[in-house]
Amino acid sequence: MVCWALRRAAQVRVHLARKASGVCRGPEHQASGARPAAPEPATRGTLGAPGGTVELLGKSYRQDGYSNLSRKVLSRVGRNLHNRPHHPLWLIKERVKQHFYAQYVGRSGTPLFSVYDDLSPVVTTWQNFDSLLVPADHPSRKKGDSYYLNATHMLRAHTSAHQWDLLRAGLDAFLVVGDVYRRDQIDAQHHPVFHQLEAVRLFSRHQLFAGVKDGENLQLFEQSSRSAHKQETHTLEATKLVEFDLKQTLTRLMTHLFGDGLDIRWVDCYFPFTHPSFEMEINFHGEWLEILGCGVMEQQLVNSAGAEDQIGWAFGLGLERLAMVLYDIPDIRLFWSEDERFLKQFCVQDINQKVKFQPLSKYPAVINDISFWLPRENYTENDFYDLVRTIGGDLVEKVDLIDKFEHPKTHRTSHCYRITYRHMERTMSQRAVGRVHQAVQEAAVRLLGVEGRF
């Protein structure tokens, strides 16, 4: 692993690029009247100079000033842990799928919800952002937050990127499961690649008001004003019924996963593609935990996909989050482990069988600090985190920003990070870790433009 890390340090390439100008449109998707906004212009990439190409899942993508994918992240594409039998993420997916198949059956006796768990993680920026009404200035569009192949294609940041296409295909009830990619901090709960499960359900007027007293006199839509409780195009009656069905669906799902007697609360929040929106929290072992986000779908999104006469809800949850809580898994890196001591614990006859992870021997950590002056522009913390991940790989347990300092005369800023290295399968010496840490220091100076204070 150490040798691999040193080889990776030699492979990493970051190239500076001039700001791109103009607005780039995703050629494959255009909602009527919509002009998709381009992502934030690039300042550095990690695979090669603009004009080169990257091969991914059998397709070639020309790199440009927006490209910012690291080799470490690309090595995760196609692993599809959620489809690997008896992997803990597969168990969660199968339990959710089993529940929806059993609880929601169509008129013909077949499952109401269809499941899509093998859609390509490469999407257009239009699919990932504009189709979901994400504002042009939303932070998630920044290169510091998302992974771009180029100005028009990226690795999806959420499974919601497929909502519009599936709605446009005429589907009104579906689950989407897949790997998603976000640039983030480094600790036991965060990884640049994780897995989401998304669900969408639409209702016609007849479906929503069936069984409701005087339902034939109720309407889905009206023209009014937007409030905290509903959209301007939805009637209050329709909104409340959709919200009730959504919360009832999710309460049943969590009861299926965690058991009876679960305490649940709903917290109002904001998502660009739902309103009203909520986060679901559960009380687990005396602690309130955020489990998922959900809400009533924005009618503008539904209308643009061709389902103008329907109203619906959507929710999305993280499989790692659920698995860590349900199976007591302490570190998100374990999901990528090939260690049989980890994997064999989830080889169960019944997917609903209770599993409590038995910790592997925890080897001692080796801690090293790194301090440097920041460049005067074009630095984000996620650039540094990506560099550390690329060089240190899964040797890196967490990175903490422990100190900031601004020079009183020059007004330059320095950061001090504490990097915790820990091998999942053996003890590492300070000398071995020191070689990796030295590679991180040298790469930070060479590739990020920082000035060392080592």
Side-chain angles (χ1 to χ4, degrees):
M1 179 66 81
V2 175
C3 293
W4 172 88
L6 294 174
R7 287 199 302 272
R8 184 65 72 199
Q11 294 171 349
V12 176
R13 294 292 184 270
V14 178
H15 295 267
L16 299 179
R18 292 185 175 89
K19 280 192 175 183
S21 61
V23 176
C24 298
R25 302 187 184 190
E28 298 177 18
H29 293 83
Q30 289 273 345
S32 60
R35 185 180 184 183
E40 182 188 35
T43 54
R44 46 178 80 85
T46 59
L47 288 176
T53 60
V54 59
E55 299 287 333
L56 187 59
L57 300 177
K59 294 185 178 181
S60 296
Y61 299 91
R62 182 170 293 277
Q63 293 182 271
D64 57 24
Y66 292 92
S67 308
N68 68 345
L69 280 170
S70 69
R71 298 181 190 277
K72 179 65 175 177
V73 169
L74 281 177
S75 72
R76 303 299 201 196
V77 178
R79 293 282 297 276
N80 297 327
L81 300 182
H82 60 289
N83 289 335
R84 182 175 176 178
H86 300 292
H87 190 280
L89 300 182
W90 176 85
L91 287 178
I92 297 291
K93 182 197 76 171
E94 290 299 310
R95 292 185 67 188
V96 173
K97 188 169 73 172
Q98 179 192 68
H99 172 76
F100 272 86
Y101 280 178
Q103 291 291 319
Y104 306 99
V105 179
R107 291 182 179 179
S108 62
T110 58
L112 179 66
F113 285 81
S114 51
V115 178
Y116 298 86
D117 60 7
D118 59 355
L119 299 176
S120 172
V122 179
V123 297
T124 66
T125 53
W126 189 91
Q127 288 173 297
N128 197 80
F129 297 122
D130 299 277
S131 74
L132 296 166
L133 313 179
V134 177
D137 60 351
H138 196 274
S140 64
R141 290 180 181 260
K142 293 183 178 180
K143 281 177 57 68
D145 281 44
S146 296
Y147 287 106
Y148 292 94
L149 280 87
N150 53 38
T152 59
H153 290 81
M154 64 185 295
L155 295 179
R156 62 188 170 208
H158 42 204
T159 47
S160 306
H162 302 287
Q163 267 188 26
W164 191 92
D165 293 292
L166 294 173
L167 292 173
R168 188 70 172 177
L171 298 175
D172 58 12
F174 54 84
L175 304 178
V176 180
V177 193
D179 43 337
V180 298
Y181 300 77
R182 296 181 192 174
R183 303 183 75 191
D184 212 335
Q185 65 199 78
I186 301 177
D187 58 32
Q189 285 78 44
H190 294 87
H191 195 275
V193 189
F194 59 103
H195 298 75
Q196 280 189 341
L197 184 147
E198 175 103 2
V200 166
R201 185 174 186 186
L202 299 184
F203 300 89
S204 66
R205 178 173 172 271
H206 171 75
Q207 290 171 326
L208 188 63
F209 295 129
V212 176
K213 185 178 180 180
D214 298 325
E216 65 275 8
N217 298 320
L218 299 177
Q219 302 297 323
L220 295 179
F221 307 112
E222 66 179 10
Q223 288 300 322
S224 60
S225 58
R226 178 172 291 238
S227 70
H229 306 292
K230 71 176 203 68
Q231 298 172 38
E232 60 273 22
T233 56
H234 292 164
T235 64
L236 185 60
E237 295 86 358
T239 299
K240 289 302 180 183
L241 281 172
V242 172
E243 180 183 325
F244 175 79
D245 187 86
L246 168 64
K247 291 180 176 179
Q248 187 178 59
T249 297
L250 290 172
T251 299
R252 287 173 178 164
L253 174 60
M254 290 303 135
T255 299
H256 170 69
L257 294 174
F258 288 91
D260 294 325
L262 190 66
D263 288 332
I264 293 172
R265 69 183 183 189
W266 304 93
V267 179
D268 293 340
C269 65
Y270 164 78
F271 300 115
F273 32 84
T274 57
H275 180 77
S277 302
F278 313 95
E279 288 177 345
M280 182 187 201
E281 297 184 353
I282 65 170
N283 193 305
F284 191 71
H285 296 329
E287 181 182 0
W288 285 102
L289 302 174
E290 177 194 331
I291 294 297
L292 56 83
C294 61
V296 178
M297 296 180 69
E298 282 285 356
Q299 196 60 37
Q300 181 183 343
L301 188 165
V302 176
N303 290 351
S304 71
E308 299 92 339
D309 59 345
Q310 294 175 290
I311 184 175
W313 54 248
F315 75 80
L317 57 84
L319 295 183
E320 280 87 349
R321 176 67 164 164
L322 274 180
M324 292 177 82
V325 173
L326 278 168
Y327 303 140
D328 204 20
I329 298 173
D331 193 316
I332 197 168
R333 292 177 299 164
L334 283 165
F335 292 108
W336 298 93
S337 174
E338 295 294 337
D339 191 329
E340 284 300 315
R341 294 175 299 167
F342 172 74
L343 296 173
K344 70 181 182 182
Q345 296 187 40
F346 302 94
C347 290
V348 293
Q349 295 293 323
D350 180 357
I351 61 173
N352 294 305
Q353 179 179 328
K354 289 187 177 181
V355 178
K356 181 175 175 59
F357 171 64
Q358 299 301 313
L360 312 179
S361 298
K362 192 162 188 179
Y363 296 95
V366 180
I367 297 173
N368 284 279
D369 293 348
I370 179 173
S371 300
F372 47 75
W373 294 106
L374 305 187
R376 296 189 182 278
E377 59 182 13
N378 298 331
Y379 175 84
T380 68
E381 286 191 28
N382 282 340
D383 287 334
F384 178 64
Y385 294 149
D386 258 8
L387 182 145
V388 173
R389 279 193 175 105
T390 298
I391 295 175
D394 288 340
L395 295 179
V396 181
E397 181 173 272
K398 64 177 179 176
V399 178
D400 295 313
L401 176 60
I402 60 174
D403 187 48
K404 291 183 180 180
F405 171 73
E406 182 177 324
H407 194 284
K409 293 184 179 179
T410 65
H411 299 292
R412 294 198 65 184
T413 301
S414 72
H415 282 184
C416 180
Y417 295 92
R418 177 156 293 164
I419 304 179
T420 301
Y421 299 89
R422 191 195 308 268
H423 202 290
M424 305 293 286
E425 299 172 11
R426 64 175 182 269
T427 298
M428 295 188 65
S429 68
Q430 175 61 63
R431 182 178 180 181
V433 170
R435 292 197 294 269
V436 178
H437 194 69
Q438 180 68 27
V440 171
Q441 292 175 338
E442 294 172 355
V445 172
R446 187 173 70 254
L447 305 178
L448 300 184
V450 305
E451 295 180 18
R453 298 182 62 202
F454 307 133

